[in-house]
Amino acid sequence: MSDTPAPAPKKKSGLVGKLIPVIGALVLLGGGAAGGWYATTSGLIGGGHGPKVDKNKPQLVERAEGGDAPTQTDADGDGHYETIYFEMKREFTANLTDPNRYIQVGLGVATNYDNRVIEAVEKNEPAIRSAILGVLGEQTADHVATVKGKEELQRRLRAGINKTLQDKTGFGGISHVYFTSFVIQ
């Protein structure tokens, strides 16, 4: 055995040896910055708060907490939003597809959005009435006489009203259609 100590390993002393820690730090900083940006803009943490809100379109109206007012669930049933109801001024009368049969209904609509939806319904009433009459005229007496048929008719009327509003104003917003009167003859 020799008393001579083993030589110490040589330190890397080139440009590559100095760049590796700098590149690693830049990668970590860039990844952290990108992750922080995503979390903020996607609403995961403060800043983004979800999708951008278009103030030109109707906004959902959240229910006020407390008070002595009776509780009212929204048209979607989860209770988070206020519901605004509007009854159409005149009844609708249309011929059914059955010979010599007709339907006469009174309608109300509901929305969880602000008054701009109801204002759009009133402003575009002639176009909405036309869409409703078109849907009513496609029905048979036997079909709309059943509960299932009435529910399907409500869905079709809602779709027709929302399509008309979308075409005229760029926004639908009607969540439910209700019958206030219903006659088949």
Side-chain angles (χ1 to χ4, degrees), residues 4 7 21 29 33 37 42 51 55 73 136 170 184:
T4 325
L29 285 173
W37 172 82
S42 67
K55 295 294 182 184
T73 59
L136 291 174
I184 301 172

Side-chain angles (χ1 to χ4, degrees), residues 78-134:
D78 64 6
H80 291 105
Y81 301 103
E82 290 290 336
T83 302
I84 301 172
Y85 296 94
F86 175 75
E87 188 171 352
M88 304 294 281
K89 292 176 179 71
R90 298 185 342 245
E91 291 184 333
F92 296 83
T93 305
N95 291 322
L96 295 170
T97 58
D98 306 300
N100 301 320
R101 303 290 304 266
Y102 71 91
I103 185 170
Q104 184 176 45
V105 296
L107 295 178
V109 296
T111 183
N112 298 122
Y113 290 89
D114 59 38
N115 282 329
R116 288 182 280 186
V117 172
I118 300 303
E119 290 167 2
V121 169
E122 290 176 309
K123 180 179 178 184
N124 295 287
E125 187 175 354
I128 291 170
R129 289 188 71 81
S130 179
I132 290 170
L133 291 170

Side-chain angles (χ1 to χ4, degrees), residues 16-17 27 41-42 51 54 63 71 73 85 87 96 106 112 139 143 184:
V16 174
V27 167
T41 58
S42 67
D54 184 352
R63 275 180 35 88
T71 58
T73 59
Y85 296 94
E87 188 171 352
L96 295 170
N112 298 122
Q139 307 305 309
H143 183 69
I184 301 172

Side-chain angles (χ1 to χ4, degrees), residues 39-84:
T40 301
T41 58
S42 67
L44 294 176
I45 59 175
H49 301 293
K52 292 183 180 178
V53 175
D54 184 352
K55 295 294 182 184
N56 295 322
K57 292 188 176 184
Q59 305 300 309
L60 286 168
V61 179
E62 294 199 28
R63 275 180 35 88
E65 297 296 326
D68 295 330
T71 58
Q72 167 186 327
T73 59
D74 57 43
D76 292 331
D78 64 6
H80 291 105
Y81 301 103
E82 290 290 336
T83 302
I84 301 172

